[in-house]
């Protein structure tokens, strides 16, 4: 679903007074997940990346409501950072190294300049169980599990670092922002790093899967990310400092190992 619209109590409150309730009141919350999210696809078609990833049409539509009060929760990415140090903070300069990152920075700027009630979530790799209606894209932990379960050797980068975030923590963050807006009614302008508490390389992600599943770690061959041409530049270390989201919303993000255990448990045996 490209985005989620929550009309909180709208029908009940407005139907009695107005035969066209949807014209009167703006949605309380919109969670914008729509994107051209595959970096290689963005690199191949920068114009499409820009027009899909910058939510200008969405904000145009939200502006048509009389009381344009909607809280926009927008999914951004850790790829806004250059990737040359560890544990980026929100106030660090954004220097994307690819078209995907550039389009997401443009989106952040567009929202901050053109909307007054928003939370921008700079998400790292999201992992977790498959959804009830399976998503078409391959999921990161399930993909590693399927490769290693065949008993084949596979190559993993030892020098590309991320702070993968468990999907239910992303949901908790979105719920917390929503309840805050619904209960306080105070507009927000929030920029939050949304990562897990652990900085891990791709190889460490694979090792974690191997440990939990009981596969031999000798299947994991360490290679440098610089040895592979993926048709798009990929930032090396975009691990994030998540102090702000933890303190602002008082959440405790799931440790990587625990999240992987929960993910694999939900998948059953491969
Ligand atoms: N998944 C991750 O690990 C991750 C990490 C960091 C940031 N993010 C960000 O989180 C958000 C969601 O990611 P995702 O992994 O769920 O992405 P995804 O699987 O690529 O889904 C993107 C969604 O956008 C919709 N969409 C694409 N083009 C559209 C258009 N022109 N108009 C309306 N809808 C359109 C797609 O709808 P159809 O399927 O109908 O085409 C799809 O539902 C994105 O903003 C992404 O950049 C994701
Ligand atoms: C704000 O919106 C206007 C009109 O759509 C656009 O021209 C402008 O570039 C936007 N600002 C930013 C910083 O993106």
């Amino acid at each position: 679903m490209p985005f989620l619209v929550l009309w909180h109590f709208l029908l009940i409150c407005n139907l009695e007074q107005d035969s066209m309730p949807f014209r009167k009141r703006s949605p309380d919350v919109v969670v914008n997940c729509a994107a051209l999210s595959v970096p290689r696809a963005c690199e191949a078609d920068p114009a499409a990346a820009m027009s899909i990833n910058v939510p200008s049409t969405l904000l145009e539509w939200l502006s048509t409501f009389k009381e344009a009060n909607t809280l926009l929760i927008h999914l951004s990415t850790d790829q806004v950072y250059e990737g040359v140090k560890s544990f980026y903070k929100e106030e660090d300069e954004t220097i994307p190294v690819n078209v995907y990152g550039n389009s997401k920075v443009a989106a952040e700027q567009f929202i901050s300049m053109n909307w007054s009630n928003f939370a921008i979530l700079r998400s790292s790799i999201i992992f977790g169980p498959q959804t009830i209606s399976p998503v078409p894209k391959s999921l990161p932990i399930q993909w590693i599990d399927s490769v290693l379960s065949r008993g084949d050797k596979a190559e993993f980068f030892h020098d590309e670092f991320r702070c993968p975030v468990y999907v239910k923590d992303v949901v908790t963050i979105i719920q917390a922002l929503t309840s805050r807006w619904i209960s306080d009614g105070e507009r927000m302008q929030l920029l939050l790093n949304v990562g897990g508490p652990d900085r891990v390389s791709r190889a460490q992600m694979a090792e974690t899967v191997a440990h939990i599943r009981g596969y031999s770690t000798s299947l994991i061959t360490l290679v440098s990310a610089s040895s592979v041409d993926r048709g798009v530049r990929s930032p090396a270390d975009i691990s994030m400092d998540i102090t702000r989201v933890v303190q602002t919303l008082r959440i405790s993000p799931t440790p990587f190992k625990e999240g992987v255990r929960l993910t694999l448990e939900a998948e059953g045996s491969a």
Side-chain angles (χ1 to χ4, degrees):
M1 188 186 287
F3 51 81
L4 255 149
V5 181
L6 308 175
W7 261 285
H8 193 83
F9 296 139
L10 172 78
L11 283 175
I12 301 156
C13 305
N14 283 17
L15 269 180
E16 299 165 17
Q17 310 157 13
D18 199 318
S19 54
M20 290 183 62
F22 295 101
R23 294 236 166 269
K24 281 256 158 150
R25 212 184 126 183
S26 55
D28 287 302
V29 180
V30 170
V31 182
N32 180 31
C33 306
L36 194 56
S37 70
V38 178
R40 212 174 340 101
C42 294
E43 215 66 20
D45 194 346
M50 219 40 105
S51 75
I52 294 169
N53 292 351
V54 179
S56 46
T57 310
L58 175 60
L59 287 194
E60 240 167 67
W61 175 67
L62 289 176
S63 309
T64 62
F65 290 93
K66 233 193 212 158
E67 238 188 297
N69 235 347
T70 302
L71 168 64
L72 174 62
I73 301 177
H74 176 82
L75 272 288
S76 187
T77 174
D78 52 0
Q79 295 215 26
V80 297
Y81 299 119
E82 187 178 14
V84 293
K85 65 165 212 172
S86 298
F87 299 115
Y88 279 88
K89 288 185 192 295
E90 288 86 349
E91 56 269 28
D92 283 326
E93 200 182 348
T94 55
I95 309 179
V97 302
N98 55 38
V99 172
Y100 173 61
N102 268 314
S103 70
K104 298 297 265 189
V105 169
E108 291 189 356
Q109 288 168 349
F110 188 90
I111 293 163
S112 339
M113 298 297 292
N114 286 302
W115 203 248
S116 60
N117 191 18
F118 62 83
I120 291 168
L121 310 182
R122 288 185 175 159
S123 174
S124 183
I125 295 172
I126 301 168
F127 71 99
Q130 181 59 275
T131 48
I132 292 166
S133 167
V135 290
K137 69 157 56 164
S138 95
L139 300 173
I141 300 303
Q142 288 83 344
W143 179 81
I144 295 171
D145 186 36
S146 74
V147 169
L148 296 180
S149 70
R150 280 182 240 130
D152 297 335
K153 280 201 170 207
E155 297 184 338
F156 292 92
F157 302 142
H158 60 77
D159 51 1
E160 206 175 79
F161 296 90
R162 306 289 186 257
C163 289
V165 58
Y166 189 54
V167 65
K168 293 188 183 174
D169 293 335
V170 180
V171 173
T172 301
I173 289 165
I174 291 170
Q175 280 175 337
L177 290 163
T178 301
S179 338
R180 175 178 288 207
W181 166 235
I182 300 291
S183 63
D184 300 358
E186 267 174 54
R187 293 178 177 220
M188 58 184 96
Q189 288 93 36
L190 276 176
L191 177 60
L192 299 172
N193 284 344
V194 170
D198 301 298
R199 169 185 177 270
V200 286
S201 69
R202 307 264 179 192
Q204 287 168 323
M205 294 178 204
E207 280 158 15
T208 304
V209 173
H211 284 138
I212 292 169
R213 284 290 206 207
Y215 307 135
S216 167
T217 47
S218 66
L219 298 174
I220 298 165
T221 308
L222 305 186
V223 294
S224 172
S226 61
S227 68
V228 179
D229 181 3
R230 281 173 279 175
V232 55
R233 275 188 72 195
S234 184
D237 184 348
I238 45 176
S239 55
M240 297 184 290
D241 181 325
I242 55 163
T243 309
R244 188 186 284 180
V245 71
V246 167
Q247 289 183 350
T248 309
L249 302 176
R250 293 193 194 87
I251 51 150
S252 46
T254 311
F256 182 67
K257 267 184 200 154
E258 177 64 8
V260 174
R261 204 182 53 71
L262 291 167
T263 303
L264 293 173
E265 229 166 53
E267 298 298 323
S269 52

